Amino acid sequence: MKINVIIILVLLMLNTPFSQGFGPQQVIAPNADDPYCVYSVDIDGDGDNDILSASSNDNKIAWYRNEGNGIFGLQQMVTTDADFPGDVFSIDLDGDGDNDVLSVSGAYEYGKIAWYENLIYNASIAEKPISLIALYPNPTNDIIHIQSNTPLLKNSVFNILGELIIDMPVLNSSEITVQTQDLVNGIYIIKCYDHNSRVIIGKIIKN
């Protein structure tokens, strides 16, 4: 009787649409060595949620850049000195507007909690033509003006977690006004898109 019940349960499981509402599996990292934890957050400040991973066999904390359209870049190292990492998390720890990385590794008296300052965000911003736009007043209370030396097609505002807050198309304009009175106080990222397919990124502070 017990065997029959197990067989029935297995058949029910095989015929249950567990993946209903989701697409097929899309592999981000096929060669992660005993991955133990993943976390998704915007690491490089471009408004897209990237992937953090902790893998225990190679003592590695790594991240994968979100290239858009469900595509992620190659593995990039945070550290290879985490002894058997068991968890990874990300939040702005030093108040500079970018998401740093936290890890938990080891066990018992050899356990370790560590954090890693995000230096990628500032480097990523520096590579982009921020000088093409001016944001004022910044910090702001209820309104911010965007002025560019090239027409902009679209503007988006994200919080520091990479969540889209404001998405506003622009009709080929180099002077734009964004209403910020409904935003909670904090740091936000503005992404501006121009005719040359460039994404211009700026940071604003809402008081």
Side-chain angles (χ1 to χ4, degrees):
M1 181 63 180
K2 184 176 180 180
I3 295 176
N4 291 337
V5 171
I6 293 174
I7 292 174
I8 292 171
L9 287 173
V10 171
L11 289 174
L12 286 172
M13 291 173 66
L14 290 174
N15 287 280
T16 300
F18 286 107
S19 62
Q20 187 174 6
F22 293 89
Q25 181 187 82
Q26 302 183 59
V27 177
I28 296 172
N31 299 316
D33 195 354
D34 194 14
Y36 213 85
C37 180
V38 294
Y39 187 74
S40 182
V41 70
D42 185 8
I43 292 292
D44 54 4
D46 64 354
D48 298 322
N49 282 331
D50 308 299
I51 301 293
L52 278 168
S53 69
S55 49
S56 60
N57 278 356
D58 52 9
N59 303 323
K60 187 184 296 180
I61 306 293
W63 75 285
Y64 306 85
R65 178 185 172 88
N66 187 340
E67 306 291 353
N69 298 317
I71 299 172
F72 288 84
L74 298 175
Q75 184 183 82
Q76 301 186 58
M77 244 15 77
V78 175
T79 182
T80 56
D81 195 32
D83 298 326
F84 302 104
D87 204 356
V88 66
F89 187 70
S90 181
I91 196 170
D92 183 8
L93 290 172
D94 50 6
D96 61 354
D98 54 32
N99 289 313
D100 307 299
V101 176
L102 277 162
S103 69
V104 176
S105 57
Y108 305 108
E109 68 269 25
Y110 302 105
K112 180 169 60 178
I113 298 172
W115 78 283
Y116 312 87
E117 182 181 2
N118 186 345
L119 303 176
I120 298 164
Y121 176 83
N122 291 329
S124 176
I125 295 296
E127 292 169 0
K128 299 181 183 296
I130 298 177
S131 59
L132 291 176
I133 62 172
L135 305 172
Y136 62 92
N138 192 14
T140 183
N141 290 321
D142 55 4
I143 195 170
I144 193 155
H145 301 282
I146 304 173
Q147 190 170 35
S148 171
N149 58 359
T150 184
L152 300 174
L153 299 179
K154 179 184 175 184
N155 294 283
S156 301
V157 179
F158 300 84
N159 62 20
I160 60 173
L161 297 178
E163 299 168 334
L164 179 64
I165 305 299
I166 300 174
D167 192 24
M168 52 181 295
V170 176
L171 296 177
N172 198 29
S173 176
S174 59
E175 294 186 5
I176 303 118
T177 299
V178 180
Q179 302 293 331
T180 59
Q181 66 268 21
D182 294 330
L183 299 180
V184 298
N185 292 351
I187 297 173
Y188 294 86
I189 304 300
I190 288 185
K191 292 175 65 175
C192 303
Y193 305 79
D194 68 7
H195 284 277
N196 298 314
S197 301
R198 288 179 296 191
V199 182
I200 309 161
I201 300 178
K203 181 167 67 174
I204 63 171
I205 299 173
K206 167 65 189 306
N207 288 334

